[in-house]
Amino acid sequence: MDSCEIFDTGKRLLQEFFSSSGSMVTVPEIHDEIVICRGSSAACETFDGETTKQTASTEMIHRRACMALFRNQATIIAGEATATVETLAVR
């Protein structure tokens, strides 16, 4: 590769996302989309490359948590002030 370019797609999330406090995971096994949880609140959304939709919120705020795919479900693990593990049912 000789060069690359990053350009604005014009697509927007429902809320701002900061990787320093939020978490995300791709869910290709169920839908070709990304699950994004804010970290500064319990709000989560999905993004499929074209549209973003509000999805189930977590019960706890998971600031600086990690998220992984566990049994084909987005699972958010612990965080700065919680040891709670929650699985989000993405349909």
Side-chain angles (χ1 to χ4, degrees), residues 8-75:
D8 187 342
T9 64
K11 314 273 189 299
R12 297 292 179 260
L13 299 175
L14 298 174
Q15 299 177 37
E16 289 182 330
F17 175 80
F18 298 99
S19 60
S20 60
S21 60
S23 303
M24 67 174 76
V25 67
T26 57
V27 189
E29 288 81 358
I30 302 166
H31 302 285
D32 192 15
E33 64 187 13
I34 301 167
V35 176
I36 303 162
C37 292
R38 295 265 114 26
S40 58
S41 73
C44 297
E45 62 189 82
T46 60
F47 179 65
D48 66 5
E50 291 295 321
T51 58
T52 183
K53 297 178 201 167
Q54 189 73 36
T55 189
S57 295
T58 58
E59 291 190 20
M60 301 294 297
I61 294 175
H62 292 269
R63 183 182 310 273
R64 296 187 176 133
C66 64
M67 195 179 321
L69 211 56
F70 180 68
R71 295 186 179 154
N72 291 332
Q73 295 292 321
T75 303

